[in-house]
Amino acid sequence: SRMPQAGGEMPEALQHRCSLSVDYPDDEFAEMVCNALAVDEELHQDKVARSVTSDGRKLIAQFAACDARMLRVSVNAFFEAVMLATRTLDAF
């Protein structure tokens, strides 16, 4: 698999990069969102790599892609999943 482990190195061939973080109310919330997203694999693993970790109350995501379009598609899909996971946890 080309996907890096949580916090792992991104493939050098994928030159378009993005790193972002999302703050949550506490460590447990960030870890639950991280765990929920960890099982969601990229559809085009040969074109996009993603690493999602939590550090305290921050959810940290790193992306690497073959081109800007694939990077945008991956980041957009990630934010949709983050919003769904956050809304779901907020309901409890």
Side-chain angles (χ1 to χ4, degrees), residues 8-78:
E9 292 291 318
M10 293 289 168
E12 286 187 29
L14 302 177
Q15 296 295 310
H16 292 77
R17 308 288 173 112
C18 177
S19 297
L20 55 93
S21 66
V22 180
D23 293 331
Y24 282 100
D26 57 49
D27 298 7
E28 184 180 18
F29 203 111
E31 187 174 351
M32 285 191 287
V33 173
C34 182
N35 290 337
L37 298 177
V39 298
D40 189 22
E41 293 185 3
E42 286 293 333
L43 295 177
H44 301 282
Q45 292 184 16
D46 58 326
K47 297 177 182 175
V48 179
R50 181 187 71 207
S51 170
V52 180
T53 59
S54 62
D55 183 12
R57 57 186 205 94
K58 287 187 182 290
L59 179 71
I60 301 167
Q62 296 180 328
F63 300 84
C66 62
D67 60 37
R69 179 186 164 278
M70 290 304 297
L71 183 62
R72 177 184 54 80
V73 168
S74 182
V75 171
N76 283 347
F78 173 78

